[in-house]
Amino acid sequence: MFHRVLLFVLLCLAGSVATAQGSIPVQRVEIVRTYPHDPAIFTEGLFYRDGALYESSGLRGQSSLRRVRIEDGRTEIQTWLPGAVFGEGIVDWGDEIIGVTWRNGAGYRWDARTLSLRTGFDFDGEGWGLTRDGESLILSDGSPILHFLDPATFQERRRIRVTAGGKPVPLLNELEWVDGEIYANIWKTDRIARIDPVTGAVKAWIDLADVDRLGGGQDSEDVLNGIAWDAAGKRLFVTGKRWSKLFEIRLLPPGPVVQAVRSVKTR
């Protein structure tokens, strides 16, 4: 029953976003390079720092934080979350990595160098994705709302409502700050939204249907999720849950307006 309800919600989302898109441009991508990715990792959070990728994995009893060597996908260091929690988004802030959990109301702060746990904290609501804009942390919770949080206290400073053509865009998942915009995976679709951090308006859709087909996920839950940006090298990386590949991609110029959500995955 749950999966039937979920399918209905996702199909409604596909229709509403496609209707709302109007003149919002759609960008396809070019695959620059493909790297190995551990197919056992249920990717929830991803970011680039100091030449390596940092990745969080979900699922109860399997949630972890790890530093990964990009070239061969090797895990350099890994730390495990408590078995009862479901790990979600992560972000670096100074000498710390901050992570949230899905519905456990628990957050964690790790040492960015050693990945050793420094402290835990509580927060309200669900945790999905995390990124930062230089002043605040930005949290997604599966709704159309993005929360801008104080990095020290995790208290909300402000929020924006993400819209496409004036209509709300739910299921915002993994987040990344890219050249003054928020990139957000839309859960169970092959799209990334480029979001204005002031207004919440979707400025463009990134079409990753071709990448999605090459990801290697075998299950309906093995969806596109994970965006990392190398600001110095201007490299953009994407992957998915239990994918066998990580992709470095380049955005192509916007093409004709097409349906905003072309594929919906469900059981």
Side-chain angles (χ1 to χ4, degrees):
M1 181 64 182
F2 169 78
H3 294 295
R4 292 179 182 176
V5 173
L6 176 60
L7 176 59
F8 175 75
V9 170
L10 290 169
L11 290 173
C12 288
L13 170 66
S16 65
V17 174
T19 302
Q21 183 173 341
S23 60
I24 298 174
V26 176
Q27 294 180 264
R28 299 188 71 179
V29 303
E30 175 185 19
I31 297 175
V32 177
R33 190 173 173 185
T34 302
Y35 305 88
H37 181 259
D38 187 343
I41 299 297
F42 198 75
T43 304
E44 296 292 355
L46 191 71
F47 67 81
Y48 177 94
R49 175 177 169 134
D50 298 333
L53 288 176
Y54 290 76
E55 185 171 25
S56 61
S57 179
L59 301 177
R60 292 178 179 85
Q62 302 179 40
S63 295
S64 68
L65 168 66
R66 66 184 192 138
R67 183 171 68 234
V68 181
R69 195 162 65 185
I70 296 176
E71 288 72 19
D72 58 10
R74 177 188 172 194
T75 298
E76 295 182 330
I77 187 171
Q78 186 171 23
T79 187
W80 295 92
L81 277 64
V85 306
F86 192 116
E88 285 279 352
I90 53 171
V91 65
D92 63 324
W93 186 265
D95 64 351
E96 290 186 327
I97 295 174
I98 302 171
V100 294
T101 55
W102 180 30
R103 291 177 172 171
N104 301 96
Y108 301 94
R109 295 177 184 269
W110 296 275
D111 182 281
R113 184 179 63 85
T114 65
L115 303 192
S116 59
L117 180 64
R118 288 184 171 178
T119 186
F121 61 92
D122 297 328
F123 69 97
D124 295 328
E126 295 187 8
W128 287 44
L130 267 182
T131 191
R132 55 176 172 79
D133 64 2
E135 296 181 356
S136 301
L137 306 183
I138 306 169
L139 171 74
S140 61
D141 60 8
S143 76
I145 303 298
L146 292 178
H147 307 267
F148 289 70
L149 309 173
D150 184 295
T153 66
F154 221 69
Q155 296 301 303
E156 185 173 279
R157 290 173 167 173
R158 69 181 181 96
R159 61 174 60 186
I160 58 173
R161 183 171 180 260
V162 177
T163 60
K167 296 186 179 296
V169 180
L171 302 178
L172 303 173
N173 204 356
E174 217 273 311
L175 306 175
E176 183 74 3
W177 183 263
V178 181
D179 281 350
E181 298 177 348
I182 302 168
Y183 283 25
N185 284 121
I186 309 300
W187 185 50
K188 289 212 170 186
T189 76
D190 53 22
R191 293 298 168 98
I192 290 173
R194 291 176 48 194
I195 301 164
D196 186 307
V198 176
T199 66
V202 174
K203 300 172 66 175
W205 300 103
I206 301 173
D207 180 353
L208 289 169
D210 293 339
V211 173
D212 200 355
R213 283 191 284 269
L214 298 174
Q218 301 299 313
D219 190 86
S220 63
E221 299 298 322
D222 299 347
V223 296
L224 177 73
N225 200 52
I227 312 166
W229 173 240
D230 170 12
K234 301 297 181 183
R235 295 186 296 169
L236 184 63
F237 302 95
V238 296
T239 191
K241 302 172 187 286
R242 291 188 292 227
W243 283 20
S244 61
K245 298 172 184 174
L246 170 85
F247 299 92
E248 180 185 340
I249 61 171
R250 181 183 298 119
L251 302 189
L252 299 177
V257 173
V258 297
Q259 183 178 335
V261 180
R262 182 159 53 202
S263 66
V264 175
K265 295 184 178 181
T266 188
R267 294 186 191 277

